[in-house]
Amino acid sequence: MEIWYRMTTVRPERDGDVEAIHYINRLAFDTAAEARLVDLLRERGKLLLSLVAEHHGQAVGHIVFTRVIAESRPELRGVGLGPMAVVPSLQRRGIGSLLVQAGLAECLAIASDFAVVLGHPHYYPRFGFAPASRFGLRCSWQVPDDVFMALEFRPGTLAGAAGLVQYQPEFNE
């Protein structure tokens, strides 16, 4: 796996990446919903951060961060991680981890206060995510408690932030 880390780079999305990003998201998920969501978020200017993983000059992974709002503390700068996708034949080689780490580092650099993710409960805790219910946060959708997770970029940031977290409206379309 170490060789993949040295040969894979993560960079911001560029204009010429749109088709490759759509393809990666379409391959990585059971339906085209995530690929369409990313396209819609891009069209409406809602992508706060969009990163591409490249291996030997070819796009092989993608991650998106968008703004989210904790209703009880709207002054906090929250981000939602996802969708995150890696070409299926290249999964489990550290590419997703590179994308998550680079994305979280960039979110911290732009002064985000917290991040949330709706994802696999055994994958995201390695990056510091914990069930959002520990902070009193609830997801907009009916999901199991362990799949909606939150991460404070600074300890104590989410104190008093109990309540609903709202994603961009495009996530409901």
Side-chain angles (χ1 to χ4, degrees):
M1 180 178 352
E2 184 177 325
I3 196 159
W4 278 88
Y5 279 101
R6 288 183 292 194
M7 297 166 55
T8 303
T9 58
V10 175
R11 60 165 175 78
E13 175 182 329
R14 297 189 289 240
D15 289 340
D17 293 329
V18 173
E19 284 184 39
I21 288 169
H22 184 90
Y23 181 71
I24 291 165
N25 278 283
R26 182 61 188 99
L27 282 178
F29 294 100
D30 293 334
T31 71
E34 286 81 0
R36 286 193 306 264
L37 172 62
V38 171
D39 292 343
L40 185 59
L41 290 165
R42 182 185 302 104
E43 288 168 17
R44 294 184 181 171
K46 302 283 184 84
L47 297 178
L48 177 65
L49 180 63
S50 179
L51 300 176
V52 172
E54 249 184 19
H55 185 73
H56 291 296
Q58 183 162 6
V60 295
H62 178 249
I63 193 168
V64 164
F65 289 83
T66 56
R67 289 273 178 225
V68 297
I69 295 176
E71 284 188 331
S72 61
R73 300 266 321 270
E75 76 280 6
L76 292 177
R77 294 173 49 101
V79 296
L81 184 166
M84 190 265 288
V86 175
V87 172
S89 63
L90 300 177
Q91 291 175 0
R92 292 181 169 48
R93 297 186 185 200
I95 296 169
S97 292
L98 285 174
L99 284 164
V100 173
Q101 291 166 347
L104 291 174
E106 184 62 27
C107 288
L108 179 59
I110 61 173
S112 298
D113 294 311
F114 71 97
V116 292
V117 65
L118 191 59
H120 198 284
H122 299 293
Y123 183 76
Y124 289 98
R126 73 182 74 174
F127 306 105
F129 284 92
S133 60
R134 291 188 188 171
F135 303 102
L137 298 175
R138 295 185 330 274
C139 186
S140 299
W141 307 286
Q142 294 285 329
V143 297
D145 185 58
D146 62 344
V147 303
F148 183 56
M149 294 167 269
L151 165 71
E152 294 177 303
F153 286 111
R154 286 167 301 288
T157 300
L158 289 171
L164 192 65
V165 174
Q166 290 189 343
Y167 281 76
Q168 295 296 319
E170 288 77 7
F171 282 83
N172 292 317
E173 293 184 23

